[in-house]
Amino acid sequence: QPFPLVGRALQAVKDRWDAEWHFVHSGDADLTDLASTHTLFEAVKPTVVIHLAARVGGLFANMADQIGFFEQNLAINQNVVKCCHAHDVARAIFCLSTCVFPAVVELPMNEKHIHEGPPHPSNEGYAYSKRMLECLVRYYRQAHQREWLCVIPTNIYGPHDNFSLQDGHVVPALIHKCYVASRDQTAFTVAGSGKPLRQFVYSEDLARAIISFLQKDHCKKNSSVIVCPDDGDELSIEEVASTIAGAFGFSGAVELDPSRADGIFRKTASNLELRRLLGEEFRFTSFADGISKTVEWFRDNFEDCRK
């Protein structure tokens, strides 16, 4: 899959912005290498950049390789930022994650809380690499008046995700699990207690938000903004599993495995800054509708999708 998840979502909604789009992927350059990254920028000559590239993985993948997640993402981010500056990219979006926030923080989290304490130890390598990206973007804004913006989405899901049972994030991994349980007529087992609460963003909603930020002066006004649904849209992992089971029409047993780690219980984020910039008219896809679309895509593309 050359353009996973958010890149594919941007392809789906790119007609909202009349621009010449160039989609590049890991086969086009090794972004951990500065020379390779520079060669890519020379070839494309971008005037606007949306930086989505990262090494990503679920809770257990992060816990197994903190060094790799930190070093690779740090290199990718430094090289992309350096090349954006060297090639005079005035306006850009850089994608972070809510894992940058402190493990212990006042809720709901907002953009000012990013550096107010250490992140959760389960994925601190990835989290610190993303925090350093926020610092770099802010420093270049201050020193060179760049209109660069960090977007901080909560848990993203949608078509073209990584549906691996080992390395996938919670929604795609549970979709794959439920597919197997439905096919094999076995129990649908959910790792953990099912109690932690999360906010989820459908990938095309994030893509629409990114385009909206770039089309207006929002990149000039802000150095970072959280992208998440409104208050009250948090779901427990058990509710997520139930919604997925419903989308599959799965009528078997849904079993929780409390022997597996839960991670942070709750990390509610505020979207007040998003609403200030984009207004109440920006609408998020309901979780049930987003899951229905994602499950349908997964079924149709099971043989070829990342899993």
Side-chain angles (χ1 to χ4, degrees):
Q1 299 293 323
F3 310 117
L5 198 52
V6 183
R8 288 283 191 172
L10 279 164
Q11 285 186 318
V13 303
K14 64 183 177 63
D15 290 344
R16 292 172 174 268
W17 190 13
D18 183 18
E20 182 182 341
W21 290 78
H22 292 267
F23 290 87
V24 296
H25 59 86
S26 56
D28 294 312
D30 176 7
L31 297 182
T32 64
D33 179 76
L34 181 58
S36 179
T37 308
H38 178 75
T39 299
L40 174 65
F41 273 70
E42 278 289 317
V44 177
K45 294 180 171 56
T47 55
V48 174
V49 166
I50 301 172
H51 173 40
L52 305 172
R55 180 188 171 188
V56 298
L59 173 67
F60 301 107
N62 274 270
M63 291 170 68
D65 189 17
Q66 299 278 12
I67 295 172
F69 277 92
F70 180 74
E71 291 185 338
Q72 287 179 264
N73 284 300
L74 198 64
I76 289 169
N77 295 334
Q78 285 183 317
N79 292 338
V80 170
V81 168
K82 284 181 180 180
C83 287
C84 281
H85 177 62
H87 292 265
D88 201 26
V89 174
R91 187 168 289 191
I93 296 284
F94 299 86
C95 196
L96 306 185
S97 162
T98 50
C99 73
V100 301
F101 287 106
V104 179
V105 65
E106 180 184 350
L107 298 179
M109 301 178 295
N110 64 51
E111 293 80 1
K112 297 178 181 178
H113 290 147
I114 294 175
H115 300 286
E116 291 188 353
H120 195 271
S122 63
N123 59 3
E124 66 176 318
Y126 179 78
Y128 274 120
S129 74
K130 288 294 190 178
R131 282 192 185 188
M132 296 306 98
L133 175 56
E134 189 279 332
C135 290
L136 275 173
V137 168
R138 190 157 35 85
Y139 300 155
Y140 274 93
R141 285 175 61 92
Q142 293 168 354
H144 303 287
Q145 294 72 55
R146 298 301 191 190
E147 295 180 20
W148 295 357
L149 172 67
C150 289
V151 296
I152 312 171
T154 52
N155 297 267
I156 315 163
Y157 71 97
H160 301 282
D161 206 342
N162 176 10
F163 293 85
S164 168
L165 294 173
Q166 288 74 40
D167 300 328
H169 286 102
V170 59
V171 167
L174 287 177
I175 286 174
H176 191 170
K177 271 193 175 185
C178 192
Y179 174 89
V180 172
S182 182
R183 180 193 65 195
D184 298 346
Q185 296 185 318
T186 57
F188 174 25
T189 304
V190 180
S193 69
K195 294 178 181 179
L197 300 170
R198 295 291 182 267
Q199 293 161 298
F200 296 92
V201 177
Y202 187 55
S203 55
E204 288 189 16
D205 293 346
L206 174 58
R208 288 189 296 108
I210 287 171
I211 290 174
S212 295
F213 292 142
L214 288 169
Q215 285 178 309
K216 300 176 182 178
D217 289 332
H218 302 320
C219 292
K220 184 183 295 185
K221 299 173 184 175
N222 291 63
S223 62
S224 60
V225 60
I226 294 168
V227 179
C228 70
D230 298 315
D231 292 347
D233 287 338
E234 281 181 291
L235 295 167
S236 71
I237 301 302
E238 187 172 12
E239 289 173 314
V240 170
S242 177
T243 303
I244 291 170
F248 274 105
F250 178 74
S251 57
V254 179
E255 299 178 352
L256 302 171
D257 179 7
S259 68
R260 301 292 298 277
D262 273 339
I264 298 175
F265 173 70
R266 189 179 193 184
K267 46 182 183 178
T268 313
S270 167
N271 72 359
L272 289 179
E273 194 61 25
L274 171 83
R275 288 300 181 200
R276 188 181 72 81
L277 294 175
L278 301 186
E280 293 298 325
E281 61 269 22
F282 185 88
R283 299 293 181 185
F284 285 93
T285 302
S286 73
F287 188 68
D289 287 346
I291 287 296
S292 178
K293 294 175 183 178
T294 307
V295 165
E296 181 181 6
W297 182 90
F298 179 72
R299 278 174 153 166
D300 291 343
N301 295 275
F302 178 77
E303 295 300 326
D304 301 319
C305 71
R306 290 188 299 160
K307 61 183 187 300

